[in-house]
Amino acid sequence: MKYIVTGILAFFTLCASAQQQTVQQLQETAKTLMQQGDLANAVVTLERARQQEPANLTVLKDLSFAHYLKSDFAKAIEVAKPLLNRPDVDEQTYQILGMSYKNTAQYKECAKMYKKALKKFPGSGVIYNEYGELMAMDKNQEEAIIQWEKGISADPNYSSNYYNAAMYHTFKNNWIKTLIYGELFLNLESYTARTTDIKNAMLMAYRNLFKGTTIEQLMAARTTTAFERAVLETLTKAIALAKDGIDIDNITTIRTRFILEWFQGRQAQYPFRLFDQQQYLLREGLFEAYNQWIFGMAINADAYKLWQTNHPKEAAGFKAFQESRVFKMPAVQNYMLK
């Protein structure tokens, strides 16, 4: 009898294991189908997985996302909304549901959901970013930047809040915030299509910053933080270098002068990871390559390609540096909020 019971238990254990594996296989198949654009069959596959495990959170999230990709937003909401009442609901569930709400212009319901999400996940850079984008879609730009900057404060290594904050401040002509948020974004997210937007915005910021009395006006602005004023004051020492405009040569010289001046006194007051990295690249002979990477294509694509051809060692050295390091911002260095 003992052996029969043991055998029955082993049989049910194997069945449970096989069933779980089957669900996992169905999910993998569905993800492949989604990548191939076969969304209808992805939904069918995930429905089969749901039949086996109706309460499986990852299956339900995948199913909601598949409906979202199909532009069946009502169905995506129908699947994801009940998940918010579960204790194991995660940030991604809110994100998927939020995207469907946005696409159906259910802005009030979506905002209510994000507020609920932030109570559960107060340190979520993802949710702050999504909330900010919702506010922007609802033509509330001032609330949008509040959410993006809260996201930067809550999760200083989530890149999308920096991207949106940099682009917002570009449209507001707040060039110092564009430069700082933009460069932080480039170091956190170096290889995506969005980097082109930020590189162009940063070039625009430098060109406008050194025009007329722009630096003085920004230093006097109510929204400028003490840290930003310190950066602007340090940049004033390089104004003469930009008298003929901004090009790839003098932008590197200006930024080199800034780092040398900053580390003469301001770094002790405002230790800043981004400036530490710039100093390191300057010391290692890679700062020119770094500046070429940021501004070269935006200023002159042909000249940038020629520079790479003529400076293979520097170009390769900077590429190796990028590929070998992970840039991280300490939470304690959030000087951009008053």
Side-chain angles (χ1 to χ4, degrees), residues 247-249 288 292-293 295-311:
D247 58 36
I248 192 60
D249 295 318
E288 182 182 4
Q292 284 280 350
W293 173 71
F295 302 105
M297 285 290 289
I299 291 174
N300 188 319
D302 291 335
Y304 176 53
K305 291 175 184 176
L306 182 62
W307 182 90
Q308 289 180 305
T309 300
N310 293 335
H311 299 80

Side-chain angles (χ1 to χ4, degrees), residues 47 50 63-64 67-68 72-80:
E47 286 289 3
R50 177 159 74 162
L63 180 58
S64 179
H67 283 301
Y68 167 80
D72 190 348
F73 306 120
K75 195 68 177 177
I77 292 169
E78 179 186 316
V79 174

